Amino acid sequence: MTTAPPRAEPRTPQLRAVKGMNDILPDEIARWQHLEQLFAETARCYGFREVRTPYVEPTGLFVRTIGEATDVVEKEMYSFTHHDESLTLRPEATAGAARAYVEHRIHTREPVTKWYCTGPMFRAERPQRGRYRQFSQIDCEVFGDPGPGCDAELIDMLVGLFARLKIPDVRVLVNSIGGAEARARYRDGLVAFLEPRRAELSTDSQRRLATNPLRILDSKDERDKLIVAEAPGLETYLSEEDRTHFDGLLRALTALGVPFTVDSRLVRGLDYYTRTLFEIKGASDKLGAGDTLVGGGRYDGMIEELGGPSVPAVGFAAGIERLLIASEPEETAPAVDAYVAPLGGSAFEAALTLGRDLRREGIVTEVDTRGGSLKSQLRRANALGCRMVLILGDSEIAAGIVQLKDLAAHAQDATPRSDVVRIVLDRLKARSR
């Protein structure tokens, strides 16, 4: 009688992150923190204050502000219904900031409001390098200033930030799409021009012809590019006020010494923009065709659309992942300053106390609680990039000393326990200078 082989237990499938939603591991986080810190410092120098809005908002907020016929609303939003309420993971930051401005009646507190934020956004689009389904943005919004000097300052701020990030080949593109009336006239003129050529357009552009014809100007399809190259320019539809505003922007940028190019074909994929539009491109050798670093512009009608007063507004957003690809990596400091290495069970409590005392002085400290050999602890300290190792054993505790091993100087001293924290702090300060 033969015995059947034991049945293999089914393997639990390995769980992975959702496609296009990426882990940021400790080895990478220093670059993120550096960029976010530079952005926050720069924004604060221009008078911006930080705001934090929810990641989840009512779906209607984005339908009303971004536009029902946009790709973001039609195809890319992560929306769901909970307790009969339609909710959406925020695909961008501006609508949430505007909603907060209206809800909390900020216009009654101050004539001009300047906010900045950082955080994750969510769009269900095809992941590619620098463009993901969960992505992080830096964002600035100004409420209450009609510009155009305000618009120019935002652009100048970004050019300065990108210089600090060492992003090469930065290029500023600006345009004006006018107010609501000018845009409506241009939309009609563009449709009249494109309708006889409908059959020659790409499938996407044929659909957009009825829903969002301005987006055809931004099409990447070569057939569409050839056709729109002959389309009428938006500048011929601008009102006198629109032209005056745009001329003021160009003069302000010139005064600030910001090189720019007027691109009459520049449009944005969201319906809320009015008048000023801008994009900043750079690092095309790293980013290829997708070298747009930041996009922004005016949205003077949004606050009123959300039930608030008539308040002008302007802002921008930039993807952090794309900026990290474009920027030059900074040298990162070691993760740990001091490593406490206890030798023997009796040194364990003394090591914990020493670690606490070092940390209270702001010294980044790792205490080895595994109980390994000195050789293994030194190996771990080197791997962490530690500058100093503090060795404690029975003889050191009895003598009231600590063996202070300076890995950078290749030196070791017996240091009084009462002085060791001060000495470590002094050496770290001297080395940073």
Side-chain angles (χ1 to χ4, degrees):
M1 179 178 177
T2 58
T3 304
R7 295 179 60 184
E9 291 292 328
R11 293 183 62 186
T12 303
Q14 182 178 357
L15 295 175
R16 296 180 178 274
V18 176
K19 186 176 181 181
M21 299 185 179
N22 303 316
D23 301 309
I24 306 166
L25 301 178
D27 290 346
E28 308 166 79
I29 205 68
R31 292 195 68 209
W32 283 72
Q33 292 170 336
H34 173 70
L35 189 153
E36 290 166 354
Q37 181 181 349
L38 280 185
F39 167 64
E41 289 174 359
T42 303
R44 285 196 292 266
C45 281
Y46 279 75
F48 287 85
R49 295 173 296 158
E50 185 179 11
V51 68
R52 302 186 185 190
T53 59
Y55 295 175
V56 178
E57 296 273 10
T59 301
L61 172 66
F62 303 112
V63 174
R64 286 172 65 179
T65 57
I66 296 174
E68 192 168 4
T70 59
D71 286 352
V72 173
V73 171
E74 285 186 337
K75 303 177 182 179
E76 298 172 3
M77 294 203 313
Y78 283 99
S79 299
F80 58 96
T81 300
H82 186 69
H83 295 316
D84 297 326
E85 187 176 12
S86 181
L87 305 171
T88 295
L89 293 176
R90 62 183 187 183
E92 55 102 58
T94 299
R99 189 266 313 144
Y101 180 87
V102 172
E103 181 175 338
H104 299 283
R105 297 178 55 79
I106 304 300
H107 69 280
T108 64
R109 307 181 196 178
E110 53 194 16
V112 176
T113 297
K114 302 171 83 170
W115 285 346
Y116 79 89
C117 71
T118 60
M121 312 294 158
F122 305 85
R123 294 189 188 182
E125 54 185 338
R126 183 172 63 86
Q128 52 188 295
R129 189 167 185 258
R131 187 186 294 272
Y132 306 105
R133 289 173 174 169
Q134 177 179 319
F135 56 99
S136 291
Q137 285 187 338
I138 57 173
D139 179 276
C140 282
E141 313 294 344
V142 181
F143 303 103
D145 190 331
C150 171
D151 306 12
E153 276 204 329
L154 276 182
I155 296 170
D156 180 59
M157 182 180 83
L158 284 163
V159 170
L161 173 64
F162 294 164
R164 295 182 72 185
L165 290 170
K166 300 177 183 177
I167 296 177
D169 189 29
V170 169
R171 307 177 309 283
V172 176
L173 307 178
V174 294
N175 190 25
S176 175
I177 59 170
E181 292 180 4
R183 196 168 63 252
R185 289 196 302 271
Y186 181 60
R187 175 191 170 109
D188 292 343
L190 186 62
V191 170
F193 171 80
L194 292 174
E195 190 62 50
R197 299 164 174 80
R198 172 186 286 271
E200 304 169 47
L201 295 170
S202 66
T203 304
D204 261 355
S205 290
Q206 290 181 31
R207 176 179 57 83
R208 286 173 174 159
L209 192 55
T211 59
N212 195 0
L214 266 65
R215 290 294 289 141
I216 300 174
L217 299 175
D218 198 34
S219 172
K220 303 300 185 286
D221 190 287
E222 292 300 327
R223 292 168 296 175
D224 298 338
K225 288 181 180 180
L226 290 173
I227 295 171
V228 300
E230 301 175 8
L234 199 154
E235 64 276 6
T236 60
Y237 292 81
L238 298 181
S239 69
E240 194 61 36
E241 283 189 9
D242 295 333
R243 292 177 189 280
T244 299
H245 187 279
F246 191 52
D247 289 344
L249 170 66
L250 303 187
R251 287 196 305 271
L253 289 174
T254 301
L256 288 167
V258 177
F260 62 86
T261 299
V262 176
D263 181 356
S264 61
R265 302 296 182 191
L266 177 63
V267 294
R268 304 290 301 159
L270 311 178
D271 279 358
Y272 53 63
Y273 284 112
T274 58
R275 288 192 171 166
T276 300
L277 288 180
F278 65 87
E279 285 185 355
I280 303 180
K281 297 177 179 289
S284 54
D285 59 327
K286 298 179 181 179
L287 293 168
D291 61 350
T292 300
L293 303 171
V294 60
R298 286 211 152 261
Y299 50 99
D300 291 339
M302 185 183 294
I303 299 302
E304 196 169 11
E305 170 69 22
L306 293 176
S310 179
V311 174
V314 62
F316 69 78
I320 292 179
E321 290 89 346
R322 194 171 296 190
L323 294 180
L324 288 172
I325 295 171
S327 63
E328 291 296 322
E330 289 285 321
E331 289 188 14
T332 56
V336 180
D337 294 320
Y339 193 94
V340 181
L343 301 177
S346 61
F348 182 73
E349 289 80 6
L352 292 176
T353 304
L354 177 55
R356 180 203 61 195
D357 293 346
L358 290 163
R359 290 165 181 147
R360 284 179 175 174
E361 294 298 324
I363 299 168
V364 181
T365 303
E366 179 83 7
V367 178
D368 196 314
T369 58
R370 301 171 302 165
S373 67
L374 178 59
K375 184 177 181 180
S376 69
Q377 293 188 65
L378 289 175
R379 192 161 51 240
R380 173 67 175 157
N382 273 307
L384 289 172
C386 291
R387 301 172 185 182
M388 298 184 195
V389 178
L390 296 90
I391 304 168
L392 277 171
D394 292 340
S395 58
E396 284 79 16
I397 293 171
I401 62 171
V402 176
Q403 296 292 340
L404 178 56
K405 189 176 184 67
D406 191 324
L407 297 180
H410 304 288
Q412 182 170 322
D413 304 302
T415 305
R417 169 64 176 86
S418 57
D419 298 335
V420 71
V421 174
R422 176 184 56 79
I423 291 171
V424 170
L425 191 61
D426 289 345
R427 291 190 184 182
L428 291 172
K429 286 180 178 177
R431 189 162 299 156
S432 67
R433 288 196 295 269

